[in-house]
Amino acid sequence: MLQIECPWCGPRDQSEFSCGGEAHISRPLEPDALDDIEWADYLFFRKNPCGRHYEQWCHIFGCRRWFNAIRDTVTYKFIAYYEMGANPPELD
Amino acid sequence: MKKKYSIFSIARNALTSHANWQAAWRSSDPKKAYDVIIIGGGGHGLATAYYLAKTFGISNVAVLEKGWIGGGNTGRNTTIVRSNYLWDESARIYEKSLKLWESLSQDINYNVMFSQRGVLNLGHTLQDMRDIERRSNANYLNGIDSEVLTTADVARLVPILDTSPDARYPILGASLQKRGGVARHDAVAWGFARAADQLGVDIIQNCEVTGIQRNEGRVSGVYTSRGTINASNVGIVTAGHSSTVAEMAGLRLPVESHPLQALVSEPLKPILHTVVMSNAVHGYISQSDKGELVIGAGVDSYVGYGQRGSFSIIEGNLSAIVELFPAFSRVRMLRQWGGIVDVCPDACPIIGETDVRGLYINCGWGTGGFKATPGSGWVFAHTIATGQPHALNAPFSIKRFNTGALIDEHGAAGVAH
Ligand SMILES: Cc1cc2nc3c(=O)[nH]c(=O)nc-3n(C[C@H](O)[C@H](O)[C@H](O)COP(=O)(O)OP(=O)(O)OC[C@H]3O[C@@H](n4cnc5c(N)ncnc54)[C@H](O)[C@@H]3O)c2cc1C
Ligand SMILES: [Zn+2]
């Protein structure tokens, strides 16, 4: 890992970034309509994959902007970067 | 029957140049079926198998380990053992474990080198000290030994700590649990394996579980790299790999796996006779019997299965250790490594049944499960043997994430152990 490519600032040292965890978890629009199991799933349950992971990162000691990334959790290698709110790029 | 280890067996084997020691456990091939299969040959899995056979009379048990036993977090941790947790639920389970530690070497006839040298938790701010006092009082109410020390007490106990008022991390006091300490981690895996084997448990290494067989909502066996093995009861005890193994049975968990690192120095003469931990600076340190300083760091915040972490974590950790112990500034580090810890949102484990009948899970111990090894094995064995959680682990059901009855141990668990 060591170097991460901020989509806005380019390659920077890993220590400038903070990881915001699993991406694409959206806050339920109608929380009242959820039962306890669905609410727990939103709050606490995670994919935690051994392999490709879709994550949120923030360039916290830089431009302070968020972005999404696809990263391999075994090699720690970044595979792709994409904007918040965007769909992840297709990978083979 | 295995021969008992004793001073006589050491003397006898010394006379024959130690060439005639028996293997500590049989190397078994998997049978077609078992009463219970334990997935994961770490300390927790091996302890579960041992107590299943010893306490609950179920010895037709296999422990399946994808690598070698103790090659996971069991052999990678900084071996701190204590029970001074804040909440009643955790205090009880960790104290059960500490009581088992106190007679473990005799019980399993294997010297796990459990050394009750005391564990200090430093306080650096007023808030730290308030938390320490609150936790010590809670410990008292649960019958767990704990003392609150002043700066002068700390300076007397560990003179090499920088206790001066202008230190980078001023030490305002500490909690001390005298019954806490360290143990030899490999010996814990080997000792439980040997004792379980003696009671008839098969320890099967190089056997990776690749699938979990189910039949009408009930577990019926596992698929492995060495064939299908049947069992109507299966326990998952795979620490960092809990999510991937649980997924084989279609289960989702509230855990995430993070890298956690540790490092050891070159051996020194005895200089640190107790365990010193500081949550605030993400560091904890003790000296091994060989003389190495054993130092633990914090987790990386990203999910990682690579058994290695970021360099910046070690850098931050060591700079804090050097501020606390200026005398260590020129000590050279020998080795550094990482493990994968399975962290729960409330820093407490999950021990109990799952939605699949006969399938049990014990995970989420995160950064601090070594100390729980015997207790965790004992309650998990009870749960599997009786089909019901013991009162000690009932609060740690996975259902707590649905009911909201979380047990928030971030204060006592912290990054440190
Ligand atoms: C650097 C570090 C420092 C730590 N310091 C402390 C400390 O000071 N005090 C403390 O109390 N705790 C500490 N811990 C935490 C502690 O080590 C763990 O909580 C504990 O060891 C977990 O025990 P275990 O036996 O369940 O795990 P492990 O020893 O990791 O056992 C799990 C086993 O499952 C196996 N496995 C995984 N997948 C499969 C599969 N598909 N099939 C078969 N087998 C599989 C693995 O190979 C592994 O051997 C530390 C951890 C680390 C990494
Ligand atoms: Zn940036």
Side-chain angles (χ1 to χ4, degrees):
Chain A
M1 203 145 105
L2 296 176
Q3 232 180 31
I4 298 177
E5 215 167 297
C6 172
W8 289 280
C9 313
R12 294 295 183 92
D13 191 87
Q14 177 196 327
S15 58
E16 291 184 16
F17 296 83
S18 81
C19 180
E22 187 177 322
H24 308 295
I25 300 173
S26 37
R27 190 181 169 85
L29 290 176
E30 285 183 82
D32 293 348
L34 263 50
D35 64 22
D36 288 349
I37 292 174
E38 291 164 324
W39 186 242
D41 197 80
Y42 159 69
L43 278 181
F44 301 122
F45 287 67
R46 296 291 177 263
K47 291 206 176 81
N48 196 25
C50 180
R52 249 176 219 175
H53 195 20
Y54 296 74
E55 299 174 322
Q56 321 175 89
W57 284 80
C58 184
H59 191 190
I60 189 104
F61 299 117
C63 64
R64 300 186 61 84
R65 286 213 263 187
W66 285 92
F67 57 94
N68 284 325
I70 308 175
R71 192 180 57 95
D72 188 303
T73 60
V74 181
T75 63
Y76 302 170
K77 214 173 146 174
F78 279 83
I79 300 163
Y81 301 91
Y82 57 104
E83 275 182 40
M84 298 302 283
N87 287 325
E90 295 279 337
L91 299 173
D92 35 62
Chain B
M1 193 55 203
K2 291 267 163 31
K3 297 205 181 84
K4 210 168 146 50
Y5 290 157
S6 67
I7 182 120
F8 304 109
S9 68
I10 293 176
R12 206 168 35 244
N13 280 286
L15 293 175
T16 51
S17 308
H18 294 291
N20 298 323
W21 286 104
Q22 275 183 307
W25 59 85
R26 295 164 294 132
S27 181
S28 317
D29 284 323
K31 292 193 278 187
K32 282 213 162 52
Y34 291 91
D35 293 339
V36 178
I37 285 175
I38 301 296
I39 310 175
H44 288 222
L46 293 162
T48 306
Y50 169 69
Y51 290 112
L52 270 172
K54 187 198 162 210
T55 312
F56 301 95
I58 303 173
S59 55
N60 186 20
V61 176
V63 178
L64 310 183
E65 165 55 48
K66 74 171 174 184
W68 63 93
I69 63 164
N73 293 342
T74 300
R76 292 165 182 270
N77 71 80
T78 50
T79 78
I80 300 171
V81 174
R82 62 189 177 89
S83 66
N84 55 353
Y85 281 66
L86 175 65
W87 299 105
D88 295 349
E89 294 85 350
S90 13
R92 282 182 199 130
I93 196 164
Y94 287 107
E95 178 60 17
K96 163 80 186 173
S97 198
L98 184 48
K99 292 234 165 70
L100 290 170
W101 276 112
E102 286 174 330
S103 56
L104 191 61
S105 292
Q106 289 76 13
D107 185 19
I108 61 177
N109 181 228
Y110 203 105
N111 186 2
V112 298
M113 297 167 77
F114 181 48
S115 155
Q116 292 179 291
R117 58 183 67 180
V119 174
L120 272 179
N121 291 82
L122 302 180
H124 301 289
T125 62
L126 269 181
Q127 189 56 44
D128 276 359
M129 289 314 296
R130 289 187 191 119
D131 290 341
I132 281 173
E133 271 170 37
R134 177 183 179 209
R135 183 163 47 73
S136 285
N137 285 326
N139 293 157
Y140 251 58
L141 294 176
N142 278 313
I144 293 170
D145 70 304
S146 180
E147 289 164 40
V148 180
L149 304 189
T150 63
T151 309
D153 298 332
V154 175
R156 251 191 314 276
L157 193 64
V158 188
I160 54 169
L161 267 172
D162 184 357
T163 48
S164 62
D166 56 355
R168 170 74 181 82
Y169 303 110
I171 295 168
L172 304 190
S175 71
L176 171 65
Q177 183 177 24
K178 284 190 175 152
R179 287 164 62 240
V182 290
R184 171 81 202 277
H185 48 12
D186 299 317
V188 174
W190 299 333
F192 271 123
R194 175 172 173 271
D197 170 90
Q198 223 154 28
L199 296 170
V201 171
D202 283 356
I203 314 282
I204 303 166
Q205 304 185 80
N206 297 311
C207 181
E208 176 167 4
V209 171
T210 52
I212 295 178
Q213 196 179 56
R214 283 153 293 155
N215 201 342
E216 292 173 4
R218 186 168 181 111
V219 72
S220 55
V222 295
Y223 305 106
T224 79
S225 53
R226 296 176 67 177
T228 305
I229 313 174
N230 297 320
S232 48
N233 290 288
V234 173
I236 302 174
V237 204
T238 51
H241 282 90
S242 296
S243 295
T244 48
V245 177
E247 201 189 334
M248 296 173 192
L251 303 172
R252 228 162 109 77
L253 299 178
V255 303
E256 286 193 307
S257 300
H258 295 278
L260 179 65
Q261 302 181 82
L263 50 172
V264 294
S265 74
E266 58 194 341
L268 308 174
K269 293 209 168 142
I271 185 158
L272 184 62
H273 69 294
T274 185
V275 181
V276 178
M277 314 181 33
S278 167
N279 268 2
V281 305
H282 290 205
Y284 37 102
I285 181 166
S286 67
Q287 188 171 22
S288 76
D289 293 337
K290 271 194 289 182
E292 302 150 328
L293 297 176
V294 180
I295 300 175
V299 293
D300 275 293
S301 61
Y302 50 83
V303 169
Y305 284 86
Q307 289 190 325
R308 63 202 154 71
S310 309
F311 195 67
S312 53
I313 297 276
I314 300 180
E315 207 178 1
N317 169 247
L318 285 184
S319 59
I321 293 287
V322 169
E323 291 290 351
L324 292 174
F325 298 93
F328 292 162
S329 68
R330 280 173 296 153
V331 173
R332 277 164 301 199
M333 292 296 142
L334 277 193
R335 293 190 305 280
Q336 158 271 333
W337 64 88
I340 316 167
V341 296
D342 42 333
V343 178
C344 258
D346 58 354
C348 277
I350 296 167
I351 322 164
E353 309 107 298
T354 67
D355 287 342
V356 179
R357 268 178 298 133
L359 182 66
Y360 302 88
I361 191 156
N362 184 348
C363 69
W365 290 96
T367 58
F370 176 70
K371 65 176 72 65
T373 305
S376 157
W378 193 90
V379 295
F380 200 44
H382 178 283
T383 307
I384 295 173
T386 64
Q388 302 273 337
H390 187 270
L392 286 172
N393 66 307
F396 297 99
S397 156
I398 194 167
K399 298 244 158 40
R400 73 178 185 272
F401 296 96
N402 300 333
T403 61
L406 304 193
I407 306 161
D408 182 2
E409 277 294 354
H410 283 285
V415 288
H417 313 290

